[in-house]
Amino acid sequence: MEKFKGPAVVCTTATCGWRALLLPQLNRQSLYMYGSEVAVEKECIRQLQSGVFVIHPFSLMRSYYIMCMMAITFLNLIGIPMEIAFLDGDSGLAWEGFNVFSDTLFLIDVALNFRMGIIAEDGEEAILDIKRIRVIYLRTWFIPDLIAAFPIGYILLFADLQYHNDDNPSKTNKMMRILMFVRILSLIRLARVSRLVRFFNEVEKVSDANLEVVRLFFRILSLFMMIFLLCHWNGCIQYFVPMLEEFPSDCWVRKENLMNATVIVKYSWGVFRALSQMIALSYGSMDAPTNYVEMWIVMVSMVSGCLMYTVLVANTTAMIANVDPAAKEYKSKMSRLEHYMTFMKLPPELQLRINNYYQARYGGKWFDENDVINTVSSALKEQIMTVMCSRLLNRVPMFKDRDENFISTVLQKLDYEVYQEGDIIVQENVPGDRMFFIDHGQVLMENDSYERELCDGDYFGETCVLTKGKHLATVKALTDCQCFSLSWDDFQEVLEGFPDVRKDFENIQLDSDGELV
């Protein structure tokens, strides 16, 4: 059961009944739009307090309604050309009933659009004011929707009933001509294709708006549906035009002996000819057009095929360009780096090490870590660093059992660093100002008196972060190493906020090897 809470209003499907279906749902889409659960609850309250019947763009009813209308519209766009071209008035009661149902649904849709909330162009609010919705709809899609919703199905049903109940031959012939005219007129219902495009756009807007994968899926789906409809309509036209001419002796239908064939065979040949012309292949269309009508059909097919190919290539290129921008940015950076190294005439060995560093540091995806960390809230930043580094600090004796706030502050001062195999991370007897925590990798720490290998979870350089003295050993990377470092300056800045902890660290003593006593 859906539930909506606010400071003063609580609405559930039990207390509000059907009105709860009109309110925005608490899901990823609404959270992306409004930013928080509280904001979604306030939006529910705003709609409830308005006291008018408006369907919110993020409501459950709107979601189901769009899916239903998409299915009905697509079936109409497939069935209407098939009925006109191949069924020749013998569509049957089931199809006529579906036509009447569709026309009724589209008329209801026109009326509902005056009560359908609209997502503003800036994407920051949903327009729920009745007057604004009415003005926007009347200025945009009202006329096309009204034309597409013209109730041809009712006219055809009434005309068919008159045709079958009338025994007068003259009236019957007249009624047949009227039926043919009405069936041709019913082509205006193909204007419903605009509704399909708009439904796809609306679904793309409100479906996981922060996920590029979802948007890409709907773009690909809508693109292939449009291409399929174009081929389908063209195939129906291939058969429909000879039918209007009562199948002249030189038309392709008679040449292929399709006069008494089944609908599926006729349709298959029509689509085959359409595709042959659209992709500019003569196969499947051996003979030249026999009259100017067929010639125009062929030319229109070729032009529509060129447009289809252009749209397909353009959309595919755009989708490829928008896929994995981080990898594309990495390649761009690496290209500029290659130009720089060539211009500076760096030795090949050094160029290889630089390339290997970038691969180890970024893994083929370019991102600015500081920019990412600095753009999230302090609470999220703390959680990110806690997940990444808290286990590293807990293994260091001087950080064990410390105040949680102190540890959280230290975590936010850590810097991520990468070293390649063979790199000297620190040099013995060289002044140091930072401590290192090994996240992944293996290093060798050595001086004149000992050697020691360190790996994941180990640390070194703690004397420098405490005393800013010299390193007591040389540390060399045995493998590619991912480390976090804490500088002396940042550590002193943290200690200024925790005077009690500072006193404890001032009492810490080190032995001759730099180990904590």
Side-chain angles (χ1 to χ4, degrees), residues 22-251:
L22 310 179
L23 303 177
Q25 302 296 294
L26 186 60
N27 51 32
R28 184 173 295 186
Q29 300 95 327
S30 57
L31 287 175
Y32 179 80
M33 175 83 168
Y34 297 107
S36 68
E37 295 184 16
V38 174
V40 176
E41 292 166 357
K42 288 182 179 179
E43 181 71 4
C44 295
I45 295 169
R46 179 170 78 98
Q47 184 172 350
L48 285 171
Q49 291 177 344
S50 66
V52 295
F53 175 81
V54 179
I55 302 174
H56 199 281
F58 295 114
S59 65
L60 192 63
M61 180 177 179
R62 180 63 171 164
S63 301
Y64 289 140
Y65 178 76
I66 287 180
M67 288 189 288
C68 175
M69 289 300 296
M70 283 177 61
I72 296 296
T73 304
F74 192 66
L75 289 175
N76 270 262
L77 297 176
I78 293 175
I80 291 170
M82 289 282 292
E83 175 195 12
I84 296 172
F86 298 103
L87 298 183
D88 195 23
D90 299 325
S91 54
L93 185 61
W95 178 253
E96 289 183 357
F98 177 74
N99 274 336
V100 172
F101 170 75
S102 298
D103 289 349
T104 305
L105 193 61
F106 277 94
L107 287 171
I108 294 173
D109 178 65
V110 173
L112 280 178
N113 274 302
F114 288 101
R115 298 280 179 166
M116 199 74 70
I118 302 171
I119 299 176
E121 290 296 327
D122 56 11
E124 294 183 357
E125 66 169 347
I127 300 173
L128 302 178
D129 181 67
I130 296 296
K131 292 182 179 178
R132 289 182 65 188
I133 293 173
R134 183 186 304 129
V135 170
I136 292 173
Y137 185 52
L138 288 173
R139 289 179 178 176
T140 52
W141 290 103
F142 174 70
I143 298 299
D145 286 353
L146 191 62
I147 294 173
F150 189 76
I152 300 292
Y154 287 96
I155 299 174
L156 285 173
L157 181 62
F158 176 76
D160 278 342
L161 292 175
Q162 290 294 320
Y163 170 72
H164 289 102
N165 293 333
D166 204 329
D167 296 331
N168 190 321
S170 61
K171 287 186 178 181
T172 300
N173 291 333
K174 183 178 180 181
M175 187 60 65
M176 286 181 64
R177 290 195 295 272
I178 293 174
L179 278 173
M180 179 57 69
F181 172 75
V182 173
R183 291 188 187 280
I184 296 174
L185 184 65
S186 67
L187 287 172
I188 65 172
R189 292 183 293 177
L190 295 182
R192 293 171 185 175
V193 70
S194 65
R195 300 307 313 273
L196 190 64
V197 175
R198 284 154 56 198
F199 287 141
F200 267 111
N201 289 336
E202 287 187 37
V203 170
E204 184 179 334
K205 272 185 179 181
V206 302
S207 60
D208 292 341
N210 56 337
L211 294 180
E212 183 62 31
V213 175
V214 177
R215 294 199 294 268
L216 183 63
F217 169 76
F218 279 109
R219 288 172 191 165
I220 294 174
L221 182 61
S222 60
L223 175 64
F224 277 96
M225 287 181 72
M226 291 300 108
I227 291 175
F228 169 77
L229 288 176
L230 182 61
C231 297
H232 172 71
W233 291 353
N234 201 339
C236 293
I237 290 173
Q238 295 283 336
Y239 186 87
F240 179 62
V241 172
M243 184 190 72
L244 288 179
E245 297 178 317
E246 297 183 352
F247 303 109
S249 58
D250 58 350
C251 74

Side-chain angles (χ1 to χ4, degrees), residues 310-334:
T310 303
V311 171
L312 180 62
V313 171
N315 278 272
T316 303
T317 304
M319 286 186 286
I320 292 175
N322 291 328
V323 171
D324 203 355
K328 296 183 184 301
E329 181 67 16
Y330 175 80
K331 291 179 181 178
S332 176
K333 294 283 186 182
M334 291 302 297

Side-chain angles (χ1 to χ4, degrees), residues 256-271:
E256 301 293 345
N257 296 320
L258 299 177
M259 293 299 297
N260 297 318
T262 61
V263 171
I264 188 64
V265 172
K266 295 176 183 178
Y267 174 74
S268 299
W269 274 98
V271 174

Side-chain angles (χ1 to χ4, degrees), residues 10-17:
V10 175
C11 182
T12 65
T13 51
T15 57
C16 296

